[in-house]
Amino acid sequence: MLNSSDIQFYNDHGYLVVKNLFSNQMILKGLSAIDEVLSRNDADENSEKEPKDSSIVRRIWSPTNKHLTFLELAEDNQLLDIVQHLIGENILFHYSKLNMKGPKVGSLVEWHQDFSYYPHTNSDLLTALIFLDDATIENGCLQVIPGSHKYGLQSHNIDDFFRGKIQEVDENDAVYIEAKAGDVLFLHCLTMHASAVNTSAVPRRTFLPAYRSADSFPIYFGPHAAHNEPGIKLLRGQISRKARVDQGVHYLPIAKTEFGSIYEIQEGSNENKAIDAMKKTGYAV
């Protein structure tokens, strides 16, 4: 489905939006699956709540393990065709999550690079943001810094410990990624991105399956990072018996205390409410 211009855009800018990849029927199926997951008796164990309103869920961990619809979305052939164009023919499923961005409260996510949470031997990793609702500036759509994937991995430390955010970012070049339900944003693991609080009256629910090239191996197995590995699954091509290694130096996500989500580490929460649930679900960050 991609042409050479699309691939060049991704290589130059570190992201690519593909319009109408999923039908309205499939999006409604995804929204229904969220309702089913949250109606179960174990919903509290499988989700993280908004600290300002505990009745609102801000994240569901490992949705591909919770409902077949999310597995269907993550393994969709059209989606994987695009992933193959961008990171190669040998594709591993890495992890999944659902960001909920509830009305009037959806949490702030500060500037960061996904790669900082799970450094690997190379950076052929990406996340597909499958929009289940329209994403607008008002409901906290993603912002990206085009081309920032070429800067390498930046420090996400404060006082020598990992805090999951970049302290100084020039936002003059930032681009808002507004999208319709059914669109998909393919995001390079080194592209700087953030999202604001949802100030609107509507949610911004996004399903995020992540993928990596089979010859990209984790280089850090700290308290949070190792939990992803049992869920790794070959989706296309072959398992690699060798690691491809990029040149350079990678910061390791060594935090002062164990944490369960990007929200907790960025907020500096000492409660770490998500850790027990994260361990039960096998989902890390």
Side-chain angles (χ1 to χ4, degrees), residues 26 90 94 157 163 204 231 257 281:
M26 194 64 202
N90 302 312
H94 191 193
N157 289 1
R163 281 289 300 276
R204 197 215 76 188
T257 59
T281 60

Side-chain angles (χ1 to χ4, degrees), residues 47-72:
S47 62
E48 181 178 353
K49 304 298 180 59
E50 288 285 355
K52 294 181 179 179
D53 186 344
S54 61
S55 69
I56 298 177
V57 171
R58 66 179 175 184
R59 170 165 292 176
I60 297 174
W61 293 297
S62 300
T64 49
N65 293 334
K66 309 293 186 305
H67 202 288
L68 287 175
T69 293
F70 298 115
L71 192 63
E72 182 181 352

Side-chain angles (χ1 to χ4, degrees), residues 48 59-63 94-99 109 112-119 127 162-164 208 210 220 222-229 253 255 258-266 274-275 278-279 281-285:
E48 181 178 353
R59 170 165 292 176
I60 297 174
W61 293 297
S62 300
H94 191 193
Y95 65 85
S96 70
K97 57 191 176 186
L98 260 164
N99 290 343
V109 177
H112 68 284
Q113 297 164 296
D114 289 342
F115 197 65
S116 69
Y117 288 84
Y118 47 75
T127 300
F162 182 71
R163 281 289 300 276
L208 297 89
Y220 177 71
H224 63 276
H227 292 283
N228 282 330
E229 291 309 298
E258 193 174 355
F259 61 94
S261 75
I262 185 174
Y263 303 109
E264 287 186 346
I265 190 67
Q266 287 191 348
I275 291 177
M278 175 266 289
K279 289 179 177 178
T281 60
Y283 175 68
V285 179

